[in-house]
Amino acid sequence: MMMNKPNIVVLGAGYGGIMTTIKLEKILGDNDANVTLVNKHDYHYQTTWLHENAAGTLHHDRTRIPIKDVVNFNKINFVQDTVKSIEPSNKKVILEDGELTYDYLVIGLGFESATFGIEGLKEHAFSIYSINSARLIREHIEYNFARYTTEPGDRRDLLTIVVGGAGFTGIEFIAEIANRVPELCQEYDIDPEKVRVMNVEAGPAALAGFDEELVEYAMNRLEEKGVEFRLGTMIKQCNENGILVEKDGEQETIDSQNVIWAAGVTGNSIVEESGFEVSRGRVPVREDLRTPDHDNVFVVGDCAVLFNPETERPYPPTAQIAMQMADTAAHNLKQLVTNSSELETFKPNLQGTVASLGHTDAIGVVFDGKKLYGRSASIMKKVIDNRYLLKLGGIGLMLKKGKLDMFR
Ligand code: FAD
Ligand code: NAD
């Protein structure tokens, strides 16, 4: 009997992949299927905290969670390896160290930074997309602050931090770094007046489309902390000395050794390279989350795109949506392996957006449009994060990794 069990392979242990796996662990019967989870590392990480790790305001060990702590390895086969490609026609996944065959596949390989072909960004700018990329940014900035005090001349470019893009990632990161600068100055004997923290945004406003009052609140708070906003200014090039920007046809160079590109994301390029149909790097999945061409392949999280029929715009690539997609994908897999043909349609329950502005400040729109800012928004953000940990690993994980210092 065991030999006939179908193989379900889940690629990626981000929000989408790990929540699909955990749900399958709960809902599948012992004889329904074999489930294999593949991930590059033996840990899951909360991507939504990476900006704090990158700024150095939160240690990365708080953000990563050993997969063995949240997935039952007696029920799930875990393979730590890197996916190189997928061959849907052969039902095969090629890994760095071998290959796997599947009957059903779930792709949850997450996002990559999108550089839109802008010259020099890949070579000279940093992006926040993993634990290691966040750690590199933190150490790079610290190293440059240390260099400033030891190298000859007044190398202000070492103390200039430029963040490209004022979307949620750019704003959340710049808020953290603005909070970290006084500490770095103290640590490396630097006059805070010499440090420049700048945000360059191509559009006319920060956080395009978000509540204008809350955007104004965020910008005021950040400007009070010394952040310089350059709106309507496009990054055109990056090189070893800094960036070239353009505003109203005028070009300017900004010298910086710390350029952090946070101006857009795309689905993992492995998906397109494996021949799946994509739109801007994401698979336009059917309502049941299967790819347009394969009845046995589901895509969850940032590798998938689905349109909201009410707004006719795509749902944004968020952790919130990735987790909800995981529920639908796991349910539909259970249906398929138990030969029930009725598949569920993905219907997200959009619960609002809250963005942090450092440890004690935030902005958000929740519960049918209620606006929050300051301490109450910050508490809400921590409640959302703690609730995720509770769902992922129960009360023990929440107590170990959660943000429990809500009122400080
Ligand atoms: P990911 O979380 O990116 O996980 C992908 C997983 O796949 C990772 O474990 C990775 O190691 C693994 N992987 C990748 N490539 C391979 C490979 N080749 N082989 C094996 N494994 C691989 N969204 C919100 O809803 N709320 C927020 O507050 C929020 N804050 C954010 C803050 C920041 C700084 C950033 C960058 C994003 C934020 N987002 C937020 C967006 C959210 O993080 C993403 O939408 C979410 O992480 C997507 O989940 P995912 O499961 O698709 O992929
Ligand atoms: P984004 O696409 O939302 O924002 C990128 C910004 O960069 C845009 O404002 C764009 O105008 C700007 N930009 C693009 N090219 C530029 C250029 N050449 N020069 C200057 N500016 C340029 O990307 P993101 O902020 O990385 O967010 C990605 C996804 O993650 C979104 O869905 C977002 O909602 C989600 N996210 C959510 C949260 C949260 O809920 N707290 C936090 C972070 C990210």
Side-chain angles (χ1 to χ4, degrees):
M1 292 299 149
M2 296 287 279
M3 280 168 59
N4 295 330
K5 281 202 283 184
N7 287 325
I8 300 176
V9 174
V10 181
L11 305 182
Y15 292 92
I18 205 149
M19 293 314 283
T20 304
T21 306
I22 287 174
K23 178 103 191 219
L24 286 173
E25 190 184 301
K26 288 195 181 119
I27 63 174
L28 288 183
D30 284 347
N31 292 320
D32 287 341
N34 300 307
V35 181
T36 301
L37 172 66
V38 183
N39 196 57
K40 215 181 247 186
H41 307 107
D42 62 357
Y43 56 82
H44 160 77
Y45 51 83
Q46 295 182 83
T47 310
T48 60
W49 289 3
L50 289 179
H51 57 290
E52 299 174 56
N53 308 142
T57 47
L58 182 79
H59 194 272
H60 53 266
D61 280 340
R62 277 286 293 285
T63 302
R64 55 181 173 178
I65 297 162
I67 292 174
K68 68 174 170 40
D69 289 0
V70 292
V71 169
N72 182 349
F73 286 181
N74 292 322
K75 290 189 167 179
I76 305 290
N77 175 31
F78 175 64
V79 175
Q80 184 184 342
D81 208 334
T82 299
V83 176
K84 302 303 281 180
S85 66
I86 303 163
E87 294 179 3
S89 51
N90 299 323
K91 298 187 188 173
K92 240 192 224 178
V93 179
I94 311 302
L95 306 173
E96 213 162 69
D97 279 327
E99 55 183 55
L100 290 169
T101 53
Y102 63 82
D103 298 296
Y104 296 98
L105 185 70
V106 181
I107 302 174
L109 292 171
F111 68 94
E112 287 179 3
S113 168
T115 49
F116 311 115
I118 297 172
E119 194 189 324
L121 277 176
K122 280 203 173 116
E123 297 80 3
H124 303 289
F126 296 83
S127 300
I128 305 169
Y129 58 86
S130 66
I131 289 283
N132 289 328
S133 73
R135 186 161 39 193
L136 181 63
I137 292 169
R138 187 197 72 208
E139 297 207 348
H140 179 80
I141 292 174
E142 282 192 25
Y143 174 62
N144 280 338
F145 272 59
R147 277 176 74 192
Y148 178 80
T149 41
T150 50
E151 286 192 8
D154 187 13
R155 295 272 315 267
R156 297 293 179 97
D157 59 328
L158 294 170
L159 304 181
T160 301
I161 300 168
V162 173
V163 178
F168 284 107
T169 303
I171 291 295
E172 286 195 325
F173 173 68
I174 211 158
E176 294 296 327
I177 204 72
N179 282 351
R180 181 86 204 285
V181 161
E183 204 181 284
L184 283 172
C185 289
Q186 178 91 34
E187 206 173 316
Y188 292 98
D189 307 321
I190 288 165
D191 174 1
E193 294 292 318
K194 293 183 173 173
V195 178
R196 215 169 158 196
V197 179
M198 183 191 288
N199 182 282
V200 181
E201 164 57 48
L207 301 177
F210 200 57
D211 182 274
E212 283 178 19
E213 243 181 299
L214 293 177
V215 174
E216 195 185 334
Y217 170 85
M219 286 185 64
N220 288 339
R221 292 305 305 264
L222 293 175
E223 280 170 345
E224 279 161 26
K225 290 181 184 176
V227 173
E228 197 182 320
F229 279 97
R230 297 288 194 94
L231 300 179
T233 306
M234 184 170 249
I235 296 183
K236 303 290 280 185
Q237 197 199 84
C238 185
N239 59 36
E240 62 275 15
N241 301 318
I243 52 167
L244 174 73
V245 299
E246 187 173 296
K247 184 181 167 78
D248 302 330
E250 298 274 311
Q251 294 199 335
E252 181 191 347
T253 54
I254 297 165
D255 291 341
S256 167
Q257 289 300 315
N258 311 286
V259 178
I260 319 300
W261 174 253
V265 292
T266 177
N268 193 315
S269 52
I270 287 173
V271 180
E272 182 171 8
E273 285 160 14
S274 298
F276 289 96
E277 176 186 335
V278 292
S279 163
R280 302 182 74 192
R282 302 196 169 99
V283 180
V285 286
R286 288 180 260 167
E287 285 181 325
D288 57 23
L289 302 183
R290 289 184 292 177
T291 71
D293 305 326
H294 305 280
D295 284 346
N296 61 339
V297 182
F298 290 81
V299 190
V300 293
D302 281 13
C303 288
V305 63
L306 196 65
F307 276 75
N308 181 341
E310 280 166 29
T311 61
E312 293 182 357
R313 291 172 59 89
Y315 292 114
T318 62
Q320 187 184 155
I321 297 271
M323 284 187 273
Q324 294 180 14
M325 284 179 156
D327 267 353
T328 300
H331 171 88
N332 287 345
L333 280 160
K334 161 96 180 171
Q335 295 295 95
L336 290 172
V337 297
T338 53
N339 298 316
S340 315
S341 55
E342 292 247 324
L343 299 193
E344 188 178 278
T345 289
F346 175 65
K347 285 205 186 70
N349 172 16
L350 300 172
Q351 292 169 336
T353 299
V354 186
S356 69
L357 299 173
H359 182 55
T360 55
D361 200 358
I363 49 172
V365 178
V366 290
F367 311 133
D368 291 333
K370 185 172 169 34
K371 291 187 208 182
L372 296 174
Y373 61 89
R375 176 73 67 172
S376 56
S378 173
I379 292 172
M380 176 59 80
K381 178 87 174 130
K382 290 174 186 170
V383 167
I384 294 167
D385 293 343
N386 292 341
R387 212 173 47 183
Y388 170 64
L389 291 169
L390 188 66
K391 191 168 179 200
L392 179 67
I395 189 102
L397 184 69
M398 191 188 83
L399 292 175
K400 194 165 159 197
K401 299 277 185 179
K403 294 193 172 166
L404 306 174
D405 53 346
M406 285 192 280
F407 300 100
R408 258 192 283 136

